[in-house]
Amino acid sequence: MGKKDGAETMKNQTANLKNVLIHRAKRLAQAGFSPIPVHGNNAPSEPKRPACSWRAFQQRVATDREIEKGFHEKVTALGIVCGRVSKLLVIDFDDVLRYQRFCRHLPQFAETYTVKTKRGFHLYFRTSEKVPSHQFDGGDIKGERSYVVAPPSRIESFVYRCVKEREQLEIGKSDVDQLLNYFHVSSSVHTLAGRQVREREDIDVRRLYRRLAPRIGRNNALYRTASVARDSGQRKEWVEKQLLGIHVEAPGRLGHTRESGAERWQEGTRTIASAYSKQAGVANGRDTLPNSIRETLLKRQGSTIVARLLDIFKLAGWQPDAFFTQGDAVKLGKRYGLSRKSVLQALTGDLSTYDGRHIISRRYVEYLDIGGLKGRGRGRPLELAYQAPSVARLLSVLNVARTPGDRLYVEDVRTARAYRLAVHREYIRRLSPRSSLPVLAARLGVNERTIRRYNRALQVRLTACVGRLALRRETLACLPQRGWRVGSNTTNGVWLETDDGRRLPAWRNIGAKLIRDAEREAAICVRRASVYSLDAEARPAVQFEPMSLRQLSRLLIMRDQAPGKDGLVSRLRQAFEGARERAAAVRYEKVQLTFDNVAERIAEDKVAETISGYLLARDGSGLEVRRPARRGIAYRMLKEYGSGNVYLALRSSYKEVVMSLARHALRADDAEAGLEWLARGLAGA
């Protein structure tokens, strides 16, 4: 085929597509829809931009002459204006999984006219209601002042096509409200229009009791069921009315002493009263905040504000991804003891981001009539909303692994001290840990002196653990030698103890003298991590433990007891810091931004924030400035810090980097560093 034949064929295809689009547009106009021409492949940079001024067609349907004039040879796509002019509402799903979830949850709305798009689906509905155009997580709702690209449009190589050839469902006000509630209210605590708090669903306490009683016993089942009902906000009188009758009639376990009905009734009343005497907390363990999230925020931010706000969301019953406004959060925070300044600091201040990412997501909602607000400009966001973060999002933002979450109560979030004290209390109550003061202090981002005050306030029982090893000639070599440069005569954490209770420094020359004298038996003692507990039973103040020579040598090396030499801990710390710097260099790839390439590097999306990186710049004093990777912020930073001084730091998987460093270290026969990186990689650090 020659060049002339190819050009003729292309011209015929263009003419055929033009005729098809004109024919389709006229049929849509006859059916009451308002069609408009869309550039398509004629404008590769903006293929979905209308090819004409379409403001007039938001009020009326185009005539046949206007359609023939608008659809010229270069136009390859067709659009339909949504809203009351076409009596059309379209739900645009950009995510296939979101569309499939919608079809499972609301199958009655799935059987309508459906169009396959490049990224997802369009669902068409006919309605006379005024529905504002706005965005939801995973797509858009196309109503007033919006349009959709319709079949048989062609953009690049993709052709829009109908996958469900059905009549558009006609829906009324109740159906529209149900659809909007599904996307914005059913998973939310508040409706943005009405500010109404979503009530918690009642729990079937009778069914719960019958399920628990055969497994854990009648009284235990009654106490646990009453506790669940208390946490869900049900009144004690109503719970007694529901449970006492079936509790009296429930059969006891085999061999249990038989009681009269009156005795069972009184016992049940006391059990329910005992459950309601406790503070109301979180309903179950799945609704608690993982401890890894709390500890990371406390250590890295040095503040309890964000962690307390997240726990307040849980205590208030706010569901993950729930929409709320700044005023809602301030009102809720004041109810639980968090000031307005603290809430704003967590939402928009210095504590609102972590490594350039927002901890609590922001959403710009473009409702036309929310609380009396009215749109004054096309595309202008009318209200800034937030979303309560899910646990999965928090784990991703903070880059930590999921751990169990301790249950906290309302009084635990009133103040910063009460919050840290509660986290410390629940950790000791759950594990009775064997740990050191520095480790406990690092968990909460405080010093050791504060941990001692917390232990006194909680009346923590401390058991000092001491390892003992008999002093012999074969064990003498592990003791350190005292050099002439050593100024102190003590050996912290290690000592020699004779059989009459006398304590001496654990120097090798002193141990050799005790062996030579052979007058009395002696032992090497090492202070190990203490055991902390809140048990009521008495525990010994000191607990002696036998210890092997290998364990003693390892402990002394880890304590850096060799004078004048770098201990193992110091060497490992230096190696780890060097590896951390190498990991940081691999973890981020910096791309220099200018006014010309911002639009290419950062997508314009007012709903979804960039999660693959952050903006980085250096101020006049050389300090590093980090901001979320959004296009508007990038332009402001370029104006403030100058072109060429702003970078986009692209994020790669930290876990993959850590595992690669572990493999590299193991191949280089550096077992210590390799095992350290391997442990951190497996832990998801």
Side-chain angles (χ1 to χ4, degrees), residues 401-548:
R402 182 187 291 269
T403 60
D406 293 324
R407 172 187 252 182
L408 300 184
Y409 301 93
V410 174
E411 295 302 323
D412 296 333
V413 298
R414 294 290 184 188
T415 63
R417 181 183 183 277
Y419 186 79
R420 286 194 174 99
L421 191 65
V423 174
H424 184 59
R425 177 196 67 213
E426 296 302 323
Y427 178 69
I428 294 177
R429 176 176 295 166
R430 174 167 52 88
L431 294 180
S432 293
R434 180 170 181 171
S435 183
S436 61
L437 281 177
V439 173
L440 295 176
R443 288 186 67 251
L444 306 180
V446 296
N447 54 38
E448 299 177 24
R449 186 176 179 182
T450 303
I451 293 296
R452 291 191 181 95
R453 290 201 300 266
Y454 288 172
N455 290 339
R456 289 194 296 268
L458 297 172
Q459 297 181 354
V460 175
R461 297 181 181 273
L462 186 145
T463 300
C465 297
V466 178
R468 290 173 63 94
L469 178 65
L471 181 62
R472 298 287 186 268
R473 293 189 180 278
E474 57 271 15
T475 61
L476 185 64
C478 67
L479 295 180
Q481 292 182 349
R482 184 185 180 190
W484 63 274
R485 293 183 179 179
V486 178
S488 175
N489 192 36
T490 60
T491 52
N492 296 328
V494 185
W495 67 91
L496 299 175
E497 186 171 342
T498 60
D499 54 2
D500 59 354
R502 183 186 176 192
R503 292 188 176 185
L504 301 169
W507 296 116
R508 188 179 300 179
N509 60 325
I510 297 177
K513 187 175 184 303
L514 290 175
I515 293 176
R516 285 196 307 270
D517 294 344
E519 296 178 357
R520 55 180 63 91
E521 293 290 331
I524 304 173
C525 298
V526 181
R527 178 66 184 272
R528 310 187 72 175
S530 303
V531 176
Y532 300 85
S533 66
L534 291 172
D535 298 338
E537 62 181 18
R539 288 178 174 267
V542 179
Q543 177 179 329
F544 292 98
E545 301 172 342
M547 190 168 48
S548 66

Side-chain angles (χ1 to χ4, degrees), residues 294 297-307 345 351 420:
R294 291 175 178 146
L297 292 173
L298 292 176
K299 287 188 292 187
R300 293 291 299 273
Q301 293 188 333
S303 170
T304 64
I305 291 176
V306 178
Q345 199 171 2
L351 302 178
R420 286 194 174 99

Side-chain angles (χ1 to χ4, degrees), residues 35-39 49-55 57 66 70 72 75:
I36 58 173
V38 178
H39 278 293
R49 184 165 58 88
C52 67
S53 177
W54 62 290
R55 177 171 296 183
F57 303 127
E66 288 173 330
H72 49 77
V75 171

